[in-house]
Amino acid sequence: MFGLLYDTPVEWVARVEALGLLALLSDHAHCELKAAATMQALIAKNCDHERIVQSLPEVAQEELQHFQLVEEELRRRGGRLAEQTSSPYADGLQKGAAATRTSLLLDRLLLSHLIEARSAERFHLLAQHLEDRDLAQLYQGLMPSESAHRVLFLRLAQDAFPAEPVAQRLRELQELEAEVVSRLPLEARIHSGMA
Ligand SMILES: [Fe+2]
Ligand SMILES: [Fe+2]
């Protein structure tokens, strides 16, 4: 459904919910903030790629709106944005991709594609299975946007590079992403695991 090679078990939702929704929301807010920063960096570093320069400002704005929405929900529930901690998911992807990289831009676009896909998969699961139906609705509302970002990043990669290298690198990074995510520890984070 999301073009990923590892399907998160449904039980992940209940286990994360038991760890605490305030911590999950704080982590989620940071994910949105980081996504907005990533979009801005992509624009600044790829001034000669018209489609990147023209399409990513809107995505950056959407990610900031998501940040506001999630941060407001966190406060409404009596929580506060906690300090950001390093993400084993993002670190695992960066390290794994760097080892076999041929193009930094291609990797940035395809990793963004996969991270958006994983976020959409998690939002979908949370929307379907959270016991807290209020929060489930918030995730239901956010899912289509991340799913559209997922499609956009693949198109940007296909626009900037020939089909064959894109398909080959996508396969490699899909395998890396599945391996990284399947080994993540259980934490109250959007990109956590069951280990
Ligand atoms: Fe977002
Ligand atoms: Fe996104």
Side-chain angles (χ1 to χ4, degrees), residues 32 63 66 146 149:
E32 301 289 1
E63 304 294 19
H66 296 169
E146 308 304 358
H149 297 165

Side-chain angles (χ1 to χ4, degrees), residues 152-163:
L152 172 68
F153 276 107
L154 187 56
R155 288 214 183 109
L156 288 174
Q158 288 164 338
D159 184 59
F161 296 90

